[in-house]
Amino acid sequence: EQRADVTCCIPDLDGMTGLLPSARPTIVAARPGKGKTILGFQTLRRNAERGIPCLGFNLEMEQHKILARHLSAMSGVPGAALAQRRMGDLTERQWDVLASAIQAFSNLPLFMVTPDHPLGLLEIEAQIRFCVEAHGVKLVVIDQLSKIDQQGRTLFEVQTARIQGISRIQRQVNIPIVVLCQVNRAGAEAPTLEDLKGTGAIEEDAGLVVLLH
């Protein structure tokens, strides 16, 4: 089967990274509030707009807030009004463009998983396999690594098991998987690979690392 040309869909970034690797995970890492969730789900939506089936795991944020971000980006309606459900603040013109955005979004080949309980690697693998086989999914984004349910005696063991589990799944399905994760506080200003939180296995297993600051 021919591989889809999956990128971040941001021209300046794509010029540096090229196609997202299908054999090893892509890591997008930053401190909280630096835009990794925005980048991850923008990558999902823009690839879906190109007709590429995509799957997102939203393990951290409430579902309506993720939807608000997508619809705000597509319509230009302020995201705060949508996320806080202040629909009475919208003008008639904003309602019109929002309705068009909702229709366009509902037609995208974009599948979202927002669980009501912590997901472990086996559940994530089952969801990915199903969506690959049933819907032809070509890109997966997971937000975020630390929210995957995993047992271990230390943070090092837990994070290592998480990223190695994702790497194993990716080798089996052979499509790009983007994993969002945090960096240590020491890397808040200008993070390096050494600041990836919890384990050196993230750096070792990754095919591409994008550090935001």
Side-chain angles (χ1 to χ4, degrees), residues 70-91:
H70 284 303
L71 294 178
S72 176
M74 296 175 71
S75 67
V77 174
L82 299 179
Q84 296 171 24
R85 299 173 177 172
R86 300 198 315 267
M87 310 309 286
D89 293 350
L90 302 185
T91 66

Side-chain angles (χ1 to χ4, degrees), residues 12-203:
D12 288 345
L13 184 57
D14 291 343
M16 294 183 285
T17 62
L19 299 181
L20 297 181
S22 59
R24 301 170 70 188
T26 295
I27 303 297
V28 176
R31 291 293 300 160
K34 295 297 184 180
K36 60 182 179 293
T37 298
I38 292 174
L39 176 58
F41 285 102
Q42 178 176 287
T43 296
L44 267 184
R45 190 187 70 256
R46 289 189 173 177
N47 277 285
E49 289 171 342
R50 296 170 55 215
I52 297 173
C54 299
L55 170 64
F57 287 88
N58 172 34
L59 306 183
E60 183 173 43
M61 192 174 294
E62 294 174 87
Q63 184 175 17
H64 78 274
K65 291 183 178 179
I66 286 292
L67 180 58
R69 289 190 175 190
H70 284 303
L71 294 178
S72 176
M74 296 175 71
S75 67
V77 174
L82 299 179
Q84 296 171 24
R85 299 173 177 172
R86 300 198 315 267
M87 310 309 286
D89 293 350
L90 302 185
T91 66
E92 184 176 349
R93 170 60 180 162
Q94 287 175 324
W95 272 111
D96 289 341
V97 295
L98 180 60
S100 296
I102 292 172
Q103 181 63 42
F105 184 78
S106 67
N107 289 330
L108 293 178
L110 175 56
F111 307 92
M112 296 295 301
V113 176
T114 305
D116 57 5
H117 65 280
L119 288 189
L121 287 165
L122 290 178
E123 291 176 288
I124 290 173
E125 179 178 2
Q127 293 274 7
I128 292 174
R129 283 184 173 277
F130 172 78
C131 286
V132 168
E133 294 172 4
H135 303 295
V137 157
K138 302 295 184 186
L139 169 66
V140 176
V141 172
I142 300 174
D143 183 21
Q144 63 173 320
L145 185 67
S146 65
K147 297 300 181 180
I148 297 174
D149 190 33
Q150 178 63 49
Q151 300 299 312
R153 291 175 296 179
T154 65
L155 176 61
F156 180 89
E157 285 187 1
V158 170
Q159 288 287 72
T160 298
R162 286 169 174 155
I163 192 61
Q164 290 181 347
I166 295 298
S167 297
R168 176 184 57 78
I169 295 169
Q170 183 162 0
R171 286 193 299 270
Q172 293 174 355
V173 297
N174 195 35
I175 62 172
I177 297 181
V178 178
V179 184
L180 312 186
C181 70
Q182 292 189 11
V183 298
N184 294 313
R185 292 186 182 276
E189 295 302 322
T192 67
L193 292 176
E194 295 178 353
D195 296 313
L196 293 173
K197 194 168 186 178
T199 174
I202 298 176
E203 177 185 351

